[in-house]
Amino acid sequence: MSDAISKIVIVGGGTAGWITACLIAAEHAGSRRGISVTLIESPDVPIIGVGEGTWPSMRSTLQKIGLSEDALICETDASFKQGTCFQGWSDATADDRYYHPFSPPIEYSSLNLAGCWLQQEGATSFSDFVTSQAAVIAEGLAPKQTSTPPYAFAVNYAYHLDAGKFAHLLHRHGVERLGVQYLSGNLVSVRTRGNGDLEVIQLDTGEQVAGDIFIDCTGQRALLIGEHFKVGFKSLKQYLFNDAAIAVQAPYAEPDAPIASVTQSTATEAGWIWDIGLQTRRGLGHVFSGAHLDAERATDILRSYAARTTPEATLNQLSFRELGFQPGYRDCFWINNCVAVGLSAGFVEPLEASAIALIEQSAHLLSRQLPANREIMAVVAKRFNQKMHYHWLRIVDFLKLHYAISRREDSGYWRDVRSEASWPEELREKLVLWQQQAPWHDDAPMVDELFPSASYQYVLYGMGYRPSGTLFHVDADPQTMARADAALHEKNQKTARMCSLLPTNRTLIESIKARYAGQRAT
């Protein structure tokens, strides 16, 4: 077939480019279609390396491409992440803290325990009530034992990792194991076909690279989807106000300091600070609204935060980087034979680590439905655009929820970001509905939801949201209550076992490093 598709060209490396390259190469290895994957990376564009948090979906992504979990842990300074700890988001009081763990509430597929918790609120937090993972996190424990096989777990987990080292590991794996062809060079120009499709890209090295599908992973520059195709950009500033960040890498006070198994997210006067613990350092960053805070003040706030846990001798040596971004996404993500993945498709603040998760969603969908010819491409592109547009709308709803139900009024930022005038309409409707019923499966109906309904429950009830007592319905028939009692009893027993048997994060990592060293020695 003259319009058969076999040559996939990815422009741009980093996490987006290499995850996409590896997934397509792995999915179509040995295919009769003879799929080839070429990745072109600029030698002049550094990896931003801010997003160091992932979602549990990363485990299946790594398994799909055949990458060893031991290699990931040992070669990317990675640690285990079990969720997020939010501090100061609700009312900024001393005990304002809650967990958003990765494990869903017990028996969640058929039993919604939110009503039971609301009836007896006061004895424990929502996350402690419905899952063992909150206690595991609070004790600083790992998600599995040292003898547990790679990718298996006692409680659900993802990773914290060094984004630069992760990209290098994927690069090596993609080229050496999956047959990805690699070119280094800068895009100079493009040649198109009569229908507007990209045909060839010209590099500053003199090479010309032909392809059937071109994937734009050039970051915020968006060289193909933005500069060439002029696809519009939909701003989200009316909902999500943060548009800048100050980032820094800080050492531990001691080399064997405990490694937190959650992303620490601490609200500030005009934004929030992330604190991500790797094996040898912590990644810190202050995300803020430039309309409410200047970069100098934002840096001072981050420096003060770092000073509480960073050795005084190294504090003045910290290098603070200022990053700017426009929260929003493209009007479409697949146009002609060009697909945008990663920052070229859009970006919002790194709250809840949606950036890498969206890369995974895009790359998996593209690799699964890689079109065989140009006619099929039109159908796949339409579905891809619909699916990714849906994901972006749900991201906006979920992230805005963290601000909309806050009770903070201590600054102009919090008063503005809480204002109902800045709520997306679908989130407003959900908050009305949740006055009479707890979030559940109908609130996140897609099989590949980025944020399942359990995530809404953890944020809602962790932040102190309470439904109307006169409207809220609790399924309290004897059979349901008996099931709930049995499930909670089993959860309590499971919690005790886990807290007595699970090692610390650092202990688990050290055991993996020893195993990996032994494997490489043989």
Side-chain angles (χ1 to χ4, degrees), residues 425-436:
E425 184 58 33
E426 184 144 343
L427 175 60
R428 186 190 313 275
E429 292 174 354
K430 287 177 179 176
L431 287 169
V432 170
L433 181 64
W434 293 335
Q435 286 292 314
Q436 73 167 20

Side-chain angles (χ1 to χ4, degrees), residues 60-347:
S60 61
T61 294
L62 298 177
Q63 288 177 288
K64 180 74 175 180
I65 67 175
L67 185 64
S68 155
E69 183 176 57
D70 288 3
L72 176 83
I73 296 298
C74 297
E75 298 192 32
T76 70
D77 203 21
S79 62
F80 294 98
K81 172 186 175 182
Q82 297 183 48
T84 303
C85 176
F86 290 93
Q87 302 182 71
W89 282 78
S90 301
D91 55 22
T93 55
D95 60 349
D96 179 4
R97 185 181 74 172
Y98 74 95
Y99 293 124
H100 173 190
F102 284 146
S103 292
I106 51 174
E107 304 289 341
Y108 193 67
S109 62
S110 60
L111 185 64
N112 192 343
L113 290 171
C116 298
W117 176 78
L118 287 166
Q119 283 187 310
Q120 49 186 292
E121 184 191 353
T124 185
S125 69
F126 178 73
S127 59
D128 272 315
F129 186 80
V130 300
T131 177
S132 298
Q133 190 161 35
V136 171
I137 292 170
E139 293 292 325
L141 302 177
K144 56 184 173 181
Q145 294 178 287
T146 57
S147 59
T148 305
Y151 296 120
F153 58 88
V155 288
N156 202 11
Y157 69 89
Y159 310 98
H160 290 138
L161 45 79
D162 182 309
K165 292 180 179 180
F166 184 45
H168 289 308
L169 176 62
L170 291 172
H171 178 165
R172 189 171 73 245
H173 182 76
V175 171
E176 296 178 359
R177 298 292 186 89
L178 300 174
V180 175
Q181 301 170 44
Y182 175 71
L183 294 174
S184 177
N186 292 297
L187 186 152
V188 174
S189 62
V190 302
R191 186 171 78 229
T192 59
R193 299 186 175 93
N195 64 354
D197 283 1
L198 299 173
E199 183 177 21
V200 173
I201 62 173
Q202 175 79 44
L203 303 182
D204 60 358
T205 60
E207 292 176 275
Q208 294 186 343
V209 185
D212 302 314
I213 291 179
F214 292 80
I215 303 173
D216 187 343
C217 296
T218 61
Q220 295 186 73
R221 297 178 301 157
L223 296 180
L224 299 180
I225 198 82
E227 288 195 15
H228 176 74
F229 282 106
K230 309 298 183 187
V231 173
F233 187 81
K234 180 179 177 61
S235 174
L236 297 172
K237 283 293 290 290
Q238 69 270 40
Y239 307 124
L240 300 169
F241 295 179
N242 295 338
D243 58 4
I246 307 294
V248 67
Q249 296 178 0
Y252 284 109
E254 300 292 340
D256 59 350
I259 302 173
S261 57
V262 288
T263 297
Q264 304 282 349
S265 175
T266 303
T268 65
E269 65 187 60
W272 58 278
I273 290 173
W274 78 73
D275 186 339
I276 288 176
L278 303 182
Q279 296 174 37
T280 60
R281 65 169 176 85
R282 290 155 55 227
L284 309 179
H286 186 189
V287 185
F288 62 98
S289 163
H292 296 83
L293 197 68
D294 61 44
E296 183 177 1
R297 171 63 180 156
T299 303
D300 288 343
I301 292 172
L302 182 59
R303 187 184 299 275
S304 296
Y305 178 93
R308 296 199 291 270
T309 52
T310 301
E312 187 174 353
T314 61
L315 189 59
N316 291 330
Q317 301 173 16
L318 298 183
S319 177
F320 293 84
R321 289 187 298 156
E322 184 176 349
L323 306 166
F325 57 90
Q326 290 298 319
Y329 57 89
R330 296 287 162 187
D331 291 335
C332 74
F333 313 98
W334 190 326
I335 182 171
N336 288 72
N337 64 338
C338 174
V339 190
V341 176
L343 297 182
S344 59
F347 182 73

